[in-house]
mmCIF file of all heavy atoms in Angstrom:
data_model
loop_
_atom_site.group_PDB
_atom_site.id
_atom_site.type_symbol
_atom_site.label_atom_id
_atom_site.label_comp_id
_atom_site.label_asym_id
_atom_site.label_seq_id
_atom_site.Cartn_x
_atom_site.Cartn_y
_atom_site.Cartn_z
ATOM 1 N N THR A 1 139.803 86.330 55.335
ATOM 2 C CA THR A 1 140.838 86.283 54.268
ATOM 3 C C THR A 1 140.642 84.972 53.460
ATOM 4 O O THR A 1 140.658 84.984 52.277
ATOM 5 C CB THR A 1 142.254 86.259 54.872
ATOM 6 O OG1 THR A 1 142.403 87.503 55.620
ATOM 7 C CG2 THR A 1 143.331 86.132 53.839
ATOM 8 N N PHE A 2 140.327 83.874 54.154
ATOM 9 C CA PHE A 2 140.077 82.564 53.463
ATOM 10 C C PHE A 2 138.865 82.680 52.647
ATOM 11 O O PHE A 2 138.821 82.253 51.442
ATOM 12 C CB PHE A 2 140.011 81.446 54.532
ATOM 13 C CG PHE A 2 139.694 80.159 53.886
ATOM 14 C CD1 PHE A 2 140.672 79.426 53.250
ATOM 15 C CD2 PHE A 2 138.450 79.609 53.941
ATOM 16 C CE1 PHE A 2 140.430 78.209 52.689
ATOM 17 C CE2 PHE A 2 138.156 78.374 53.329
ATOM 18 C CZ PHE A 2 139.129 77.644 52.725
ATOM 19 N N ALA A 3 137.793 83.282 53.125
ATOM 20 C CA ALA A 3 136.542 83.316 52.412
ATOM 21 C C ALA A 3 136.690 84.293 51.222
ATOM 22 O O ALA A 3 136.132 83.965 50.111
ATOM 23 C CB ALA A 3 135.408 83.898 53.313
ATOM 24 N N ASN A 4 137.427 85.337 51.351
ATOM 25 C CA ASN A 4 137.600 86.331 50.295
ATOM 26 C C ASN A 4 138.459 85.728 49.150
ATOM 27 O O ASN A 4 138.305 86.030 48.062
ATOM 28 C CB ASN A 4 138.243 87.631 50.867
ATOM 29 C CG ASN A 4 138.166 88.705 49.815
ATOM 30 O OD1 ASN A 4 137.303 88.789 48.981
ATOM 31 N ND2 ASN A 4 139.117 89.631 49.940
ATOM 32 N N GLY A 5 139.432 84.885 49.563
ATOM 33 C CA GLY A 5 140.344 84.288 48.567
ATOM 34 C C GLY A 5 139.924 82.991 47.984
ATOM 35 O O GLY A 5 140.561 82.447 47.078
ATOM 36 N N GLY A 6 138.811 82.462 48.510
ATOM 37 C CA GLY A 6 138.375 81.127 48.028
ATOM 38 C C GLY A 6 138.088 81.098 46.505
ATOM 39 O O GLY A 6 138.363 80.079 45.896
ATOM 40 N N ASP A 7 137.537 82.137 45.969
ATOM 41 C CA ASP A 7 137.212 82.081 44.542
ATOM 42 C C ASP A 7 138.501 82.191 43.646
ATOM 43 O O ASP A 7 138.503 81.809 42.496
ATOM 44 C CB ASP A 7 136.303 83.207 44.261
ATOM 45 C CG ASP A 7 136.838 84.635 44.527
ATOM 46 O OD1 ASP A 7 137.730 84.690 45.382
ATOM 47 O OD2 ASP A 7 136.402 85.563 43.932
ATOM 48 N N ASN A 8 139.615 82.608 44.270
ATOM 49 C CA ASN A 8 140.923 82.672 43.568
ATOM 50 C C ASN A 8 141.476 81.313 43.252
ATOM 51 O O ASN A 8 142.259 81.149 42.326
ATOM 52 C CB ASN A 8 141.910 83.525 44.324
ATOM 53 C CG ASN A 8 141.475 84.954 44.433
ATOM 54 O OD1 ASN A 8 140.729 85.474 43.606
ATOM 55 N ND2 ASN A 8 141.962 85.603 45.501
ATOM 56 N N ILE A 9 141.042 80.324 43.946
ATOM 57 C CA ILE A 9 141.570 78.949 43.783
ATOM 58 C C ILE A 9 141.323 78.484 42.390
ATOM 59 O O ILE A 9 142.168 77.876 41.737
ATOM 60 C CB ILE A 9 140.927 77.992 44.820
ATOM 61 C CG1 ILE A 9 141.430 78.329 46.253
ATOM 62 C CG2 ILE A 9 141.317 76.547 44.504
ATOM 63 C CD1 ILE A 9 140.807 77.586 47.354
ATOM 64 N N GLY A 10 140.142 78.815 41.829
ATOM 65 C CA GLY A 10 139.816 78.403 40.513
ATOM 66 C C GLY A 10 140.675 79.017 39.445
ATOM 67 O O GLY A 10 140.877 78.496 38.375
ATOM 68 N N VAL A 11 141.245 80.183 39.762
ATOM 69 C CA VAL A 11 142.164 80.915 38.851
ATOM 70 C C VAL A 11 143.537 80.415 39.021
ATOM 71 O O VAL A 11 144.313 80.132 38.051
ATOM 72 C CB VAL A 11 142.073 82.430 39.095
ATOM 73 C CG1 VAL A 11 143.085 83.139 38.200
ATOM 74 C CG2 VAL A 11 140.692 82.905 38.770
ATOM 75 N N TYR A 12 143.999 80.289 40.244
ATOM 76 C CA TYR A 12 145.451 80.069 40.451
ATOM 77 C C TYR A 12 145.889 78.533 40.281
ATOM 78 O O TYR A 12 146.964 78.246 39.988
ATOM 79 C CB TYR A 12 145.839 80.431 41.873
ATOM 80 C CG TYR A 12 145.827 81.968 42.026
ATOM 81 C CD1 TYR A 12 145.109 82.550 43.030
ATOM 82 C CD2 TYR A 12 146.543 82.768 41.114
ATOM 83 C CE1 TYR A 12 145.070 83.950 43.107
ATOM 84 C CE2 TYR A 12 146.493 84.128 41.249
ATOM 85 C CZ TYR A 12 145.790 84.733 42.247
ATOM 86 O OH TYR A 12 145.738 86.071 42.346
ATOM 87 N N VAL A 13 144.919 77.575 40.503
ATOM 88 C CA VAL A 13 145.256 76.177 40.367
ATOM 89 C C VAL A 13 145.763 75.897 38.984
ATOM 90 O O VAL A 13 146.848 75.236 38.791
ATOM 91 C CB VAL A 13 144.134 75.275 40.764
ATOM 92 C CG1 VAL A 13 144.324 73.849 40.329
ATOM 93 C CG2 VAL A 13 143.852 75.350 42.277
ATOM 94 N N PRO A 14 145.151 76.293 37.929
ATOM 95 C CA PRO A 14 145.609 76.026 36.546
ATOM 96 C C PRO A 14 147.047 76.692 36.349
ATOM 97 O O PRO A 14 147.920 76.161 35.664
ATOM 98 C CB PRO A 14 144.614 76.593 35.586
ATOM 99 C CG PRO A 14 143.347 76.633 36.393
ATOM 100 C CD PRO A 14 143.771 76.850 37.809
ATOM 101 N N VAL A 15 147.173 77.943 36.878
ATOM 102 C CA VAL A 15 148.420 78.667 36.685
ATOM 103 C C VAL A 15 149.616 77.924 37.415
ATOM 104 O O VAL A 15 150.647 77.711 36.844
ATOM 105 C CB VAL A 15 148.315 80.132 37.191
ATOM 106 C CG1 VAL A 15 149.656 80.801 37.228
ATOM 107 C CG2 VAL A 15 147.337 80.859 36.366
ATOM 108 N N PHE A 16 149.336 77.522 38.637
ATOM 109 C CA PHE A 16 150.315 76.817 39.416
ATOM 110 C C PHE A 16 150.550 75.393 38.755
ATOM 111 O O PHE A 16 151.708 74.860 38.884
ATOM 112 C CB PHE A 16 149.941 76.661 40.859
ATOM 113 C CG PHE A 16 149.969 77.957 41.596
ATOM 114 C CD1 PHE A 16 149.157 78.134 42.702
ATOM 115 C CD2 PHE A 16 150.733 79.052 41.182
ATOM 116 C CE1 PHE A 16 149.106 79.353 43.393
ATOM 117 C CE2 PHE A 16 150.737 80.262 41.877
ATOM 118 C CZ PHE A 16 149.956 80.373 43.016
ATOM 119 N N ALA A 17 149.594 74.762 38.244
ATOM 120 C CA ALA A 17 149.806 73.461 37.634
ATOM 121 C C ALA A 17 150.655 73.495 36.405
ATOM 122 O O ALA A 17 151.451 72.522 36.162
ATOM 123 C CB ALA A 17 148.434 72.861 37.262
ATOM 124 N N THR A 18 150.672 74.642 35.668
ATOM 125 C CA THR A 18 151.495 74.719 34.487
ATOM 126 C C THR A 18 152.832 75.372 34.733
ATOM 127 O O THR A 18 153.711 75.339 33.853
ATOM 128 C CB THR A 18 150.770 75.508 33.407
ATOM 129 O OG1 THR A 18 150.424 76.810 33.833
ATOM 130 C CG2 THR A 18 149.490 74.767 32.950
ATOM 131 N N ALA A 19 153.001 76.054 35.877
ATOM 132 C CA ALA A 19 154.252 76.773 36.186
ATOM 133 C C ALA A 19 155.243 75.721 36.714
ATOM 134 O O ALA A 19 154.939 74.779 37.440
ATOM 135 C CB ALA A 19 153.985 77.843 37.219
ATOM 136 N N GLY A 20 156.480 75.898 36.339
ATOM 137 C CA GLY A 20 157.575 75.054 36.849
ATOM 138 C C GLY A 20 157.971 75.555 38.189
ATOM 139 O O GLY A 20 157.391 76.462 38.854
ATOM 140 N N VAL A 21 159.048 74.964 38.712
ATOM 141 C CA VAL A 21 159.565 75.346 40.030
ATOM 142 C C VAL A 21 160.003 76.791 40.021
ATOM 143 O O VAL A 21 159.776 77.494 41.015
ATOM 144 C CB VAL A 21 160.754 74.380 40.390
ATOM 145 C CG1 VAL A 21 161.392 74.831 41.711
ATOM 146 C CG2 VAL A 21 160.282 72.936 40.547
ATOM 147 N N GLY A 22 160.643 77.198 38.936
ATOM 148 C CA GLY A 22 161.049 78.612 38.838
ATOM 149 C C GLY A 22 159.916 79.575 38.872
ATOM 150 O O GLY A 22 159.929 80.628 39.609
ATOM 151 N N GLY A 23 158.883 79.296 38.115
ATOM 152 C CA GLY A 23 157.676 80.146 38.070
ATOM 153 C C GLY A 23 157.001 80.179 39.405
ATOM 154 O O GLY A 23 156.579 81.244 39.900
ATOM 155 N N MET A 24 156.853 79.054 40.103
ATOM 156 C CA MET A 24 156.284 78.990 41.404
ATOM 157 C C MET A 24 157.062 79.793 42.390
ATOM 158 O O MET A 24 156.513 80.478 43.253
ATOM 159 C CB MET A 24 156.151 77.531 41.934
ATOM 160 C CG MET A 24 155.072 76.763 41.176
ATOM 161 S SD MET A 24 153.433 77.227 41.592
ATOM 162 C CE MET A 24 153.294 76.623 43.252
ATOM 163 N N SER A 25 158.388 79.733 42.332
ATOM 164 C CA SER A 25 159.231 80.538 43.219
ATOM 165 C C SER A 25 158.996 81.988 43.006
ATOM 166 O O SER A 25 158.941 82.771 43.973
ATOM 167 C CB SER A 25 160.717 80.148 42.958
ATOM 168 O OG SER A 25 160.945 78.788 43.237
ATOM 169 N N VAL A 26 158.951 82.440 41.769
ATOM 170 C CA VAL A 26 158.720 83.840 41.455
ATOM 171 C C VAL A 26 157.326 84.283 42.010
ATOM 172 O O VAL A 26 157.199 85.307 42.641
ATOM 173 C CB VAL A 26 158.784 84.109 39.956
ATOM 174 C CG1 VAL A 26 158.285 85.560 39.600
ATOM 175 C CG2 VAL A 26 160.208 83.912 39.462
ATOM 176 N N TYR A 27 156.289 83.450 41.767
ATOM 177 C CA TYR A 27 154.971 83.789 42.289
ATOM 178 C C TYR A 27 155.028 83.937 43.855
ATOM 179 O O TYR A 27 154.379 84.807 44.413
ATOM 180 C CB TYR A 27 153.977 82.700 41.934
ATOM 181 C CG TYR A 27 153.597 82.646 40.457
ATOM 182 C CD1 TYR A 27 153.418 81.473 39.870
ATOM 183 C CD2 TYR A 27 153.431 83.828 39.726
ATOM 184 C CE1 TYR A 27 153.109 81.395 38.464
ATOM 185 C CE2 TYR A 27 153.060 83.772 38.403
ATOM 186 C CZ TYR A 27 152.954 82.584 37.807
ATOM 187 O OH TYR A 27 152.621 82.523 36.458
ATOM 188 N N ALA A 28 155.681 82.986 44.499
ATOM 189 C CA ALA A 28 155.718 83.002 45.984
ATOM 190 C C ALA A 28 156.463 84.269 46.478
ATOM 191 O O ALA A 28 155.999 84.915 47.425
ATOM 192 C CB ALA A 28 156.417 81.755 46.538
ATOM 193 N N VAL A 29 157.613 84.549 45.895
ATOM 194 C CA VAL A 29 158.359 85.720 46.320
ATOM 195 C C VAL A 29 157.568 87.009 46.069
ATOM 196 O O VAL A 29 157.490 87.873 46.974
ATOM 197 C CB VAL A 29 159.723 85.798 45.585
ATOM 198 C CG1 VAL A 29 160.430 87.165 45.776
ATOM 199 C CG2 VAL A 29 160.582 84.624 46.058
ATOM 200 N N VAL A 30 156.943 87.178 44.889
ATOM 201 C CA VAL A 30 156.118 88.329 44.648
ATOM 202 C C VAL A 30 154.973 88.474 45.588
ATOM 203 O O VAL A 30 154.704 89.548 46.115
ATOM 204 C CB VAL A 30 155.631 88.363 43.160
ATOM 205 C CG1 VAL A 30 154.583 89.424 42.912
ATOM 206 C CG2 VAL A 30 156.806 88.534 42.211
ATOM 207 N N PHE A 31 154.325 87.378 45.849
ATOM 208 C CA PHE A 31 153.184 87.343 46.823
ATOM 209 C C PHE A 31 153.672 87.816 48.169
ATOM 210 O O PHE A 31 152.975 88.716 48.811
ATOM 211 C CB PHE A 31 152.544 85.951 46.881
ATOM 212 C CG PHE A 31 151.505 85.863 47.962
ATOM 213 C CD1 PHE A 31 150.203 86.328 47.696
ATOM 214 C CD2 PHE A 31 151.822 85.239 49.148
ATOM 215 C CE1 PHE A 31 149.302 86.246 48.686
ATOM 216 C CE2 PHE A 31 150.833 85.134 50.158
ATOM 217 C CZ PHE A 31 149.559 85.638 49.909
ATOM 218 N N LEU A 32 154.725 87.255 48.687
ATOM 219 C CA LEU A 32 155.175 87.609 49.996
ATOM 220 C C LEU A 32 155.707 89.066 50.082
ATOM 221 O O LEU A 32 155.433 89.733 51.091
ATOM 222 C CB LEU A 32 156.267 86.679 50.446
ATOM 223 C CG LEU A 32 155.898 85.205 50.668
ATOM 224 C CD1 LEU A 32 157.101 84.371 50.911
ATOM 225 C CD2 LEU A 32 154.868 85.128 51.838
ATOM 226 N N VAL A 33 156.336 89.584 49.048
ATOM 227 C CA VAL A 33 156.749 90.914 49.041
ATOM 228 C C VAL A 33 155.511 91.914 49.056
ATOM 229 O O VAL A 33 155.552 92.819 49.810
ATOM 230 C CB VAL A 33 157.707 91.237 47.783
ATOM 231 C CG1 VAL A 33 157.873 92.703 47.632
ATOM 232 C CG2 VAL A 33 158.999 90.532 47.997
ATOM 233 N N LEU A 34 154.545 91.578 48.233
ATOM 234 C CA LEU A 34 153.356 92.487 48.166
ATOM 235 C C LEU A 34 152.548 92.435 49.493
ATOM 236 O O LEU A 34 152.004 93.430 49.906
ATOM 237 C CB LEU A 34 152.500 92.075 46.978
ATOM 238 C CG LEU A 34 153.114 92.401 45.587
ATOM 239 C CD1 LEU A 34 152.250 91.922 44.508
ATOM 240 C CD2 LEU A 34 153.418 93.892 45.485
ATOM 241 N N VAL A 35 152.529 91.194 50.176
ATOM 242 C CA VAL A 35 151.822 91.179 51.420
ATOM 243 C C VAL A 35 152.594 91.976 52.465
ATOM 244 O O VAL A 35 151.964 92.750 53.252
ATOM 245 C CB VAL A 35 151.702 89.675 51.928
ATOM 246 C CG1 VAL A 35 151.323 89.619 53.375
ATOM 247 C CG2 VAL A 35 150.666 88.962 51.044
ATOM 248 N N ALA A 36 153.900 91.955 52.402
ATOM 249 C CA ALA A 36 154.722 92.783 53.341
ATOM 250 C C ALA A 36 154.471 94.256 53.091
ATOM 251 O O ALA A 36 154.358 95.006 54.052
ATOM 252 C CB ALA A 36 156.171 92.427 53.174
ATOM 253 N N ILE A 37 154.343 94.631 51.748
ATOM 254 C CA ILE A 37 154.078 96.041 51.502
ATOM 255 C C ILE A 37 152.681 96.446 52.042
ATOM 256 O O ILE A 37 152.573 97.569 52.584
ATOM 257 C CB ILE A 37 154.217 96.300 49.938
ATOM 258 C CG1 ILE A 37 155.634 96.195 49.535
ATOM 259 C CG2 ILE A 37 153.586 97.624 49.561
ATOM 260 C CD1 ILE A 37 155.826 96.181 48.017
ATOM 261 N N TRP A 38 151.649 95.580 51.850
ATOM 262 C CA TRP A 38 150.380 95.872 52.370
ATOM 263 C C TRP A 38 150.395 96.059 53.900
ATOM 264 O O TRP A 38 149.730 96.908 54.480
ATOM 265 C CB TRP A 38 149.327 94.799 52.015
ATOM 266 C CG TRP A 38 148.701 95.013 50.628
ATOM 267 C CD1 TRP A 38 148.795 94.239 49.587
ATOM 268 C CD2 TRP A 38 147.897 96.097 50.228
ATOM 269 N NE1 TRP A 38 148.045 94.702 48.526
ATOM 270 C CE2 TRP A 38 147.458 95.961 48.900
ATOM 271 C CE3 TRP A 38 147.381 97.281 50.894
ATOM 272 C CZ2 TRP A 38 146.666 96.807 48.207
ATOM 273 C CZ3 TRP A 38 146.615 98.156 50.171
ATOM 274 C CH2 TRP A 38 146.194 97.884 48.888
ATOM 275 N N CYS A 39 151.089 95.136 54.577
ATOM 276 C CA CYS A 39 151.177 95.199 56.015
ATOM 277 C C CYS A 39 151.903 96.484 56.483
ATOM 278 O O CYS A 39 151.423 97.137 57.465
ATOM 279 C CB CYS A 39 151.890 93.980 56.620
ATOM 280 S SG CYS A 39 150.903 92.431 56.457
ATOM 281 N N CYS A 40 152.944 96.823 55.809
ATOM 282 C CA CYS A 40 153.737 98.051 56.169
ATOM 283 C C CYS A 40 152.808 99.318 55.899
ATOM 284 O O CYS A 40 152.809 100.261 56.720
ATOM 285 C CB CYS A 40 154.998 98.172 55.412
ATOM 286 S SG CYS A 40 156.230 96.925 55.899
ATOM 287 N N ALA A 41 152.146 99.272 54.776
ATOM 288 C CA ALA A 41 151.254 100.438 54.464
ATOM 289 C C ALA A 41 150.095 100.532 55.505
ATOM 290 O O ALA A 41 149.777 101.651 56.023
ATOM 291 C CB ALA A 41 150.687 100.316 53.056
ATOM 292 N N GLY A 42 149.559 99.428 55.869
ATOM 293 C CA GLY A 42 148.510 99.407 56.901
ATOM 294 C C GLY A 42 149.061 99.944 58.244
ATOM 295 O O GLY A 42 148.405 100.747 58.906
ATOM 296 N N LYS A 43 150.214 99.476 58.674
ATOM 297 C CA LYS A 43 150.771 100.004 59.936
ATOM 298 C C LYS A 43 151.094 101.476 59.854
ATOM 299 O O LYS A 43 150.831 102.234 60.758
ATOM 300 C CB LYS A 43 152.067 99.192 60.245
ATOM 301 C CG LYS A 43 152.621 99.657 61.578
ATOM 302 C CD LYS A 43 153.867 98.852 61.961
ATOM 303 C CE LYS A 43 154.384 99.357 63.274
ATOM 304 N NZ LYS A 43 155.573 98.625 63.696
ATOM 305 N N PHE A 44 151.635 101.892 58.656
ATOM 306 C CA PHE A 44 152.002 103.323 58.488
ATOM 307 C C PHE A 44 150.724 104.217 58.591
ATOM 308 O O PHE A 44 150.744 105.172 59.351
ATOM 309 C CB PHE A 44 152.616 103.506 57.108
ATOM 310 C CG PHE A 44 152.895 104.955 56.798
ATOM 311 C CD1 PHE A 44 153.938 105.620 57.338
ATOM 312 C CD2 PHE A 44 152.036 105.636 55.943
ATOM 313 C CE1 PHE A 44 154.215 106.999 57.029
ATOM 314 C CE2 PHE A 44 152.237 106.997 55.611
ATOM 315 C CZ PHE A 44 153.323 107.662 56.205
ATOM 316 N N PHE A 45 149.701 103.813 57.898
ATOM 317 C CA PHE A 45 148.493 104.674 57.925
ATOM 318 C C PHE A 45 147.705 104.644 59.296
ATOM 319 O O PHE A 45 147.252 105.620 59.736
ATOM 320 C CB PHE A 45 147.497 104.287 56.802
ATOM 321 C CG PHE A 45 148.033 104.759 55.461
ATOM 322 C CD1 PHE A 45 148.340 103.820 54.458
ATOM 323 C CD2 PHE A 45 148.234 106.114 55.150
ATOM 324 C CE1 PHE A 45 148.827 104.227 53.229
ATOM 325 C CE2 PHE A 45 148.721 106.530 53.924
ATOM 326 C CZ PHE A 45 149.007 105.605 52.987
ATOM 327 N N ALA A 46 147.752 103.444 59.884
ATOM 328 C CA ALA A 46 147.034 103.258 61.173
ATOM 329 C C ALA A 46 147.770 104.026 62.327
ATOM 330 O O ALA A 46 147.160 104.349 63.309
ATOM 331 C CB ALA A 46 146.905 101.858 61.546
#
């Protein structure tokens, strides 16, 4: 997961640097919700 997401750092650092606290909160919530959906889908299919 770390190796696969390492190239994303170059994309997300500028986005996070310009986002305020509200934007960062939205990004974090959306990320956590989507990870939960992926985990539930994986468990469902497996």
Side-chain angles (χ1 to χ4, degrees):
T1 302
F2 179 76
N4 193 27
D7 59 338
N8 295 334
I9 292 173
V11 175
Y12 292 126
V13 167
V15 171
F16 292 154
T18 59
V21 174
M24 288 289 288
S25 300
V26 170
Y27 290 139
V29 168
V30 168
F31 174 78
L32 292 173
V33 167
L34 292 176
V35 167
I37 290 171
W38 273 117
C39 290
C40 290
K43 182 177 180 181
F44 173 79
F45 288 115

